[in-house]
Amino acid sequence: MSPDTALRGRPERRAYVNAAIVDPSQGLDGPGGLIVADGRIVAIGPKVTAATAGTSTPVTDCGGKLLFPGLIDMRVFTGEPGNEHRETLASASEAAAAGGVTTMIVMPNTDPVIDDAAIVDFILRRARDTAIVRVAPMAALTQGLGGELMTEIGTLQEAGAVALTDGRRAIANARIFRRVLAYAHDFGMLVVQHVEEPTLSSGVMNEGEQATRLGLPGIPAAAEVIMLERDIRLVELTGARYHAAQLSAAASLNVIRAAKARGLPVSCGVSVNHLVLNENDIGAYRTFFKLSPPLRSEADRVALVEGVADGTIDVIVSSHDPQNADTKRLPFSEAEFGAIGLETLFSAAFGITRSGNVPLTRIIEAMTARPARLLGLETGTLAAGAPADFVIADPDQTWKVEDSGLRSRSKNSPFEHHALEGRIVETVVAGESVYAYDRR
Amino acid sequence: MTPAKPRTDRILEGQHLLGIETLKLAEIEALLGLADRYVELNRQIDKKQSTLRGRTQINLFFEASTRTQASFELAGKRLGADVMNMSVSASSLSKGETVLDTAMTLNAMHPDILVVRHHASGAPDLLAQKVGCAVVNAGDGQHEHPTQALLDALTIRRRTGRIEGLTVAICGDVAHSRVARSNIILLNRMGARVRLVAPSSLLPACVDRLGADVFTSMAEGLAGVDVVMMLRLQLERMQGAFVPSTREYYRFFGLDQKKLSRAKPEALVMHPGPMNRGVEIDSDVADGIQSVIREQVEMGVAVRMAVLDALARNLPGGGNA
């Protein structure tokens, strides 16, 4: 990037030209440019070039690199409030910007829990004051994530919650989940479930040969499939919009396919970790690979990649979950679940366009247009009039993930020391550059 | 201080003994050969050696185990090491000190060998990455118990003269047993055929892929075997609904004379201890002529001496022998 792109303040007007634009929301996939003004996109397409931008408009030449809508990460845990030593909204947003994520959907599993309009308001104000990307919270479905008492769903929605979830926890009680779905349906709110039957999920990794060898208690794939099948019956009963936060097992895909074929308002996500890694990466008890749901077999991973490719899986998330030494440098069974991932989200996902033959447009759609549509956001698109949230990425640049270079306050990256393809070189939020890759 | 010089009589390739999984057949056989010599030594009146003189061995037990700790303590002392026992109770861990904190504190005291027992699988692996001394796994969670498998192998080999070609039935709570895992690996590596006999609720997933034929009936599983290895049934297993009662367990999986009669007439009966008499094993069998259970205890000290000796040879400065 030339130095003049290190912008300060909101630019009046700027053209980005000579880019390879990918915007699945408009079916764009080809050379072109865009013009931003007042934080919004005013023109986009092949006709936007340095010549057509007008002499008074400053121009950034993208050098043929990729330009696509800023990513929307539907599953981000931070430590704010409650565990700021692991991550704040500010530190998470720095990592997000470096990873091409312009909207973080933060989970309610904080201390205190985001189960009250005042906490939603706190998150939005803290984000406005400290974060460099957009932040929107999902609120808890049940008070204190206790799985029993419903939160004030209507009030939470008014306060700015974009969806409802108990985050890492599944609502196990079918009667309560049914009522929550029915009530949320009246407000049109998306209900996001961690699909794992708790009574089958006391283990710490995928059940199978690997767990048996390591002497670790396993979590069977059936724990996920059982919960998913039950939930879909309840969706049928209530008509609520339902989203399975993260799938890990091949068997779950057919359940989703069948539900979609029946026209149910069902969608699902997958973490990029589950598209790239499998249970063998745990090796000798590497706790950075201890995830919930667990990394499963290579056959499951391949099936999930296919699920992304054919659209069965709607959304790719980072499931960014900062943990540090106090929770990760422990014996495997005692360590916390979770891995950070905001900064590596795009690059890790980009890898499967090459290894898994998934079209880049599908990958980008799963991190832009689809989550935007599920959550009712106006971002996730480069259509004229939309907020100017976008990313420039170099598909030919390989970079090595080192924890010292990561911006997250916690360093529990499963991609540490990995070489990833595709690098974010600039991130723009509301027309303002919030990250520019420094080549030094 | 003798200057460091490379030893030519190395037995183990690695710095630690974390499990059987990482041992090659030649390493196992060399350890057993050395243990044979220590068996003879232990039967003499003067048992004291100077092999580990000047060395400090810390037995770090996060889980109570009188027998294993005593066995390691005796092994270290007979080889001339200074042995310290540290029992870390659950209460000090609940103060927030992690296993690594404890290990790093001890590491600062410059031990040469750390013998670790921990309730979590993989805890010794974690310690081995962070400390400078040799780490011996004295049992971790449901993962491995390498010295138990070695002492079992030594017991069998001294009784039958071989391990290759034998059929060994491992019976009982395989799911929660580190002894079973280490034995499955070791016996396979030495060319024995392994059977597992247990109710399905006590068998871990895909355990056959570790190299074992699986049976859910004692009559079938014990038919014609050379060795019957019983596992301890933790009495709290009733709570998790793994088995209905000790009474029913004894009826179908407890080793009595009738079930044992399915095995070869001279079949060995083994148990890692401590036994639940009348649960997984009948007293008549435990104390009968086919039982080698007390011999296993004797072999335990010899095997642990061999392990400590072998690891000391790889320490900076080598062994003193």
Side-chain angles (χ1 to χ4, degrees), chain A residues 111-127:
Chain A
D111 184 13
V113 170
I114 308 178
D115 61 358
D116 185 284
I119 313 287
V120 172
D121 189 55
F122 169 82
I123 295 286
L124 292 174
R125 279 186 293 110
R126 285 293 291 171

PDB file of all heavy atoms in Angstrom, chain A residues 111-127:
ATOM      1  N   ASP A 111     -18.954 -12.071  32.153  1.00  0.00           N
ATOM      2  CA  ASP A 111     -19.246 -11.979  33.578  1.00  0.00           C
ATOM      3  C   ASP A 111     -19.373 -10.508  33.953  1.00  0.00           C
ATOM      4  O   ASP A 111     -18.368  -9.835  34.076  1.00  0.00           O
ATOM      5  CB  ASP A 111     -18.129 -12.665  34.369  1.00  0.00           C
ATOM      6  CG  ASP A 111     -18.427 -12.684  35.857  1.00  0.00           C
ATOM      7  OD1 ASP A 111     -19.583 -12.405  36.234  1.00  0.00           O
ATOM      8  OD2 ASP A 111     -17.511 -12.973  36.635  1.00  0.00           O
ATOM      9  N   PRO A 112     -20.536  -9.950  34.129  1.00  0.00           N
ATOM     10  CA  PRO A 112     -21.830 -10.637  34.080  1.00  0.00           C
ATOM     11  C   PRO A 112     -22.236 -11.044  32.659  1.00  0.00           C
ATOM     12  O   PRO A 112     -21.724 -10.521  31.691  1.00  0.00           O
ATOM     13  CB  PRO A 112     -22.803  -9.578  34.622  1.00  0.00           C
ATOM     14  CG  PRO A 112     -22.148  -8.276  34.320  1.00  0.00           C
ATOM     15  CD  PRO A 112     -20.683  -8.522  34.441  1.00  0.00           C
ATOM     16  N   VAL A 113     -23.178 -11.966  32.637  1.00  0.00           N
ATOM     17  CA  VAL A 113     -23.704 -12.482  31.378  1.00  0.00           C
ATOM     18  C   VAL A 113     -24.504 -11.392  30.659  1.00  0.00           C
ATOM     19  O   VAL A 113     -25.134 -10.551  31.306  1.00  0.00           O
ATOM     20  CB  VAL A 113     -24.614 -13.701  31.691  1.00  0.00           C
ATOM     21  CG1 VAL A 113     -25.386 -14.151  30.463  1.00  0.00           C
ATOM     22  CG2 VAL A 113     -23.793 -14.842  32.262  1.00  0.00           C
ATOM     23  N   ILE A 114     -24.457 -11.416  29.322  1.00  0.00           N
ATOM     24  CA  ILE A 114     -25.279 -10.464  28.554  1.00  0.00           C
ATOM     25  C   ILE A 114     -26.709 -11.010  28.518  1.00  0.00           C
ATOM     26  O   ILE A 114     -27.139 -11.639  27.557  1.00  0.00           O
ATOM     27  CB  ILE A 114     -24.720 -10.263  27.126  1.00  0.00           C
ATOM     28  CG1 ILE A 114     -23.231  -9.913  27.162  1.00  0.00           C
ATOM     29  CG2 ILE A 114     -25.521  -9.165  26.398  1.00  0.00           C
ATOM     30  CD1 ILE A 114     -22.589  -9.751  25.797  1.00  0.00           C
ATOM     31  N   ASP A 115     -27.416 -10.802  29.622  1.00  0.00           N
ATOM     32  CA  ASP A 115     -28.785 -11.312  29.685  1.00  0.00           C
ATOM     33  C   ASP A 115     -29.761 -10.205  30.085  1.00  0.00           C
ATOM     34  O   ASP A 115     -30.884 -10.470  30.474  1.00  0.00           O
ATOM     35  CB  ASP A 115     -28.879 -12.495  30.667  1.00  0.00           C
ATOM     36  CG  ASP A 115     -28.498 -12.117  32.091  1.00  0.00           C
ATOM     37  OD1 ASP A 115     -28.115 -10.945  32.322  1.00  0.00           O
ATOM     38  OD2 ASP A 115     -28.573 -12.996  32.971  1.00  0.00           O
ATOM     39  N   ASP A 116     -29.283  -8.979  29.961  1.00  0.00           N
ATOM     40  CA  ASP A 116     -30.057  -7.840  30.440  1.00  0.00           C
ATOM     41  C   ASP A 116     -29.773  -6.666  29.503  1.00  0.00           C
ATOM     42  O   ASP A 116     -28.651  -6.509  29.023  1.00  0.00           O
ATOM     43  CB  ASP A 116     -29.561  -7.527  31.864  1.00  0.00           C
ATOM     44  CG  ASP A 116     -30.378  -6.433  32.524  1.00  0.00           C
ATOM     45  OD1 ASP A 116     -30.177  -5.255  32.176  1.00  0.00           O
ATOM     46  OD2 ASP A 116     -31.208  -6.782  33.378  1.00  0.00           O
ATOM     47  N   ALA A 117     -30.780  -5.859  29.264  1.00  0.00           N
ATOM     48  CA  ALA A 117     -30.623  -4.751  28.318  1.00  0.00           C
ATOM     49  C   ALA A 117     -29.475  -3.819  28.720  1.00  0.00           C
ATOM     50  O   ALA A 117     -28.769  -3.274  27.862  1.00  0.00           O
ATOM     51  CB  ALA A 117     -31.927  -3.968  28.218  1.00  0.00           C
ATOM     52  N   ALA A 118     -29.258  -3.663  30.009  1.00  0.00           N
ATOM     53  CA  ALA A 118     -28.190  -2.772  30.459  1.00  0.00           C
ATOM     54  C   ALA A 118     -26.816  -3.281  30.025  1.00  0.00           C
ATOM     55  O   ALA A 118     -25.920  -2.505  29.713  1.00  0.00           O
ATOM     56  CB  ALA A 118     -28.235  -2.626  31.982  1.00  0.00           C
ATOM     57  N   ILE A 119     -26.663  -4.600  30.005  1.00  0.00           N
ATOM     58  CA  ILE A 119     -25.365  -5.162  29.600  1.00  0.00           C
ATOM     59  C   ILE A 119     -25.197  -5.036  28.085  1.00  0.00           C
ATOM     60  O   ILE A 119     -24.107  -4.776  27.586  1.00  0.00           O
ATOM     61  CB  ILE A 119     -25.223  -6.638  30.025  1.00  0.00           C
ATOM     62  CG1 ILE A 119     -25.652  -6.847  31.472  1.00  0.00           C
ATOM     63  CG2 ILE A 119     -23.800  -7.120  29.810  1.00  0.00           C
ATOM     64  CD1 ILE A 119     -24.718  -6.316  32.505  1.00  0.00           C
ATOM     65  N   VAL A 120     -26.296  -5.220  27.353  1.00  0.00           N
ATOM     66  CA  VAL A 120     -26.240  -4.999  25.901  1.00  0.00           C
ATOM     67  C   VAL A 120     -25.788  -3.569  25.636  1.00  0.00           C
ATOM     68  O   VAL A 120     -24.892  -3.308  24.817  1.00  0.00           O
ATOM     69  CB  VAL A 120     -27.617  -5.263  25.245  1.00  0.00           C
ATOM     70  CG1 VAL A 120     -27.604  -4.835  23.776  1.00  0.00           C
ATOM     71  CG2 VAL A 120     -27.994  -6.733  25.369  1.00  0.00           C
ATOM     72  N   ASP A 121     -26.379  -2.669  26.361  1.00  0.00           N
ATOM     73  CA  ASP A 121     -26.040  -1.261  26.201  1.00  0.00           C
ATOM     74  C   ASP A 121     -24.574  -1.014  26.559  1.00  0.00           C
ATOM     75  O   ASP A 121     -23.862  -0.289  25.862  1.00  0.00           O
ATOM     76  CB  ASP A 121     -26.966  -0.429  27.105  1.00  0.00           C
ATOM     77  CG  ASP A 121     -26.828   1.051  26.839  1.00  0.00           C
ATOM     78  OD1 ASP A 121     -27.003   1.430  25.663  1.00  0.00           O
ATOM     79  OD2 ASP A 121     -26.518   1.807  27.768  1.00  0.00           O
ATOM     80  N   PHE A 122     -24.117  -1.640  27.633  1.00  0.00           N
ATOM     81  CA  PHE A 122     -22.709  -1.513  28.035  1.00  0.00           C
ATOM     82  C   PHE A 122     -21.775  -1.975  26.916  1.00  0.00           C
ATOM     83  O   PHE A 122     -20.818  -1.296  26.556  1.00  0.00           O
ATOM     84  CB  PHE A 122     -22.460  -2.347  29.304  1.00  0.00           C
ATOM     85  CG  PHE A 122     -21.008  -2.508  29.647  1.00  0.00           C
ATOM     86  CD1 PHE A 122     -20.322  -1.508  30.330  1.00  0.00           C
ATOM     87  CD2 PHE A 122     -20.299  -3.662  29.277  1.00  0.00           C
ATOM     88  CE1 PHE A 122     -18.976  -1.648  30.647  1.00  0.00           C
ATOM     89  CE2 PHE A 122     -18.950  -3.806  29.589  1.00  0.00           C
ATOM     90  CZ  PHE A 122     -18.295  -2.798  30.272  1.00  0.00           C
ATOM     91  N   ILE A 123     -22.093  -3.136  26.338  1.00  0.00           N
ATOM     92  CA  ILE A 123     -21.251  -3.683  25.263  1.00  0.00           C
ATOM     93  C   ILE A 123     -21.218  -2.704  24.082  1.00  0.00           C
ATOM     94  O   ILE A 123     -20.151  -2.393  23.533  1.00  0.00           O
ATOM     95  CB  ILE A 123     -21.801  -5.051  24.780  1.00  0.00           C
ATOM     96  CG1 ILE A 123     -21.714  -6.092  25.895  1.00  0.00           C
ATOM     97  CG2 ILE A 123     -21.094  -5.524  23.512  1.00  0.00           C
ATOM     98  CD1 ILE A 123     -20.343  -6.600  26.190  1.00  0.00           C
ATOM     99  N   LEU A 124     -22.384  -2.199  23.711  1.00  0.00           N
ATOM    100  CA  LEU A 124     -22.440  -1.316  22.545  1.00  0.00           C
ATOM    101  C   LEU A 124     -21.672  -0.017  22.805  1.00  0.00           C
ATOM    102  O   LEU A 124     -20.975   0.484  21.920  1.00  0.00           O
ATOM    103  CB  LEU A 124     -23.896  -1.032  22.171  1.00  0.00           C
ATOM    104  CG  LEU A 124     -24.660  -2.256  21.639  1.00  0.00           C
ATOM    105  CD1 LEU A 124     -26.136  -1.930  21.432  1.00  0.00           C
ATOM    106  CD2 LEU A 124     -24.034  -2.769  20.332  1.00  0.00           C
ATOM    107  N   ARG A 125     -21.779   0.509  24.026  1.00  0.00           N
ATOM    108  CA  ARG A 125     -21.055   1.743  24.329  1.00  0.00           C
ATOM    109  C   ARG A 125     -19.544   1.511  24.415  1.00  0.00           C
ATOM    110  O   ARG A 125     -18.753   2.290  23.895  1.00  0.00           O
ATOM    111  CB  ARG A 125     -21.586   2.364  25.632  1.00  0.00           C
ATOM    112  CG  ARG A 125     -22.878   3.162  25.415  1.00  0.00           C
ATOM    113  CD  ARG A 125     -23.339   3.902  26.657  1.00  0.00           C
ATOM    114  NE  ARG A 125     -23.751   2.966  27.696  1.00  0.00           N
ATOM    115  CZ  ARG A 125     -23.063   2.763  28.833  1.00  0.00           C
ATOM    116  NH1 ARG A 125     -21.972   3.451  29.080  1.00  0.00           N
ATOM    117  NH2 ARG A 125     -23.489   1.883  29.714  1.00  0.00           N
ATOM    118  N   ARG A 126     -19.161   0.397  25.069  1.00  0.00           N
ATOM    119  CA  ARG A 126     -17.727   0.082  25.141  1.00  0.00           C
ATOM    120  C   ARG A 126     -17.166  -0.130  23.738  1.00  0.00           C
ATOM    121  O   ARG A 126     -16.051   0.293  23.427  1.00  0.00           O
ATOM    122  CB  ARG A 126     -17.482  -1.182  25.977  1.00  0.00           C
ATOM    123  CG  ARG A 126     -17.613  -0.986  27.458  1.00  0.00           C
ATOM    124  CD  ARG A 126     -16.521  -0.101  28.014  1.00  0.00           C
ATOM    125  NE  ARG A 126     -15.207  -0.739  27.979  1.00  0.00           N
ATOM    126  CZ  ARG A 126     -14.073  -0.107  28.254  1.00  0.00           C
ATOM    127  NH1 ARG A 126     -14.093   1.182  28.567  1.00  0.00           N
ATOM    128  NH2 ARG A 126     -12.929  -0.749  28.214  1.00  0.00           N
ATOM    129  N   ALA A 127     -17.931  -0.783  22.885  1.00  0.00           N
ATOM    130  CA  ALA A 127     -17.473  -1.034  21.522  1.00  0.00           C
ATOM    131  C   ALA A 127     -17.312   0.285  20.775  1.00  0.00           C
ATOM    132  O   ALA A 127     -16.309   0.524  20.097  1.00  0.00           O
ATOM    133  CB  ALA A 127     -18.455  -1.955  20.805  1.00  0.00           C
TER     134      ALA A 127
END
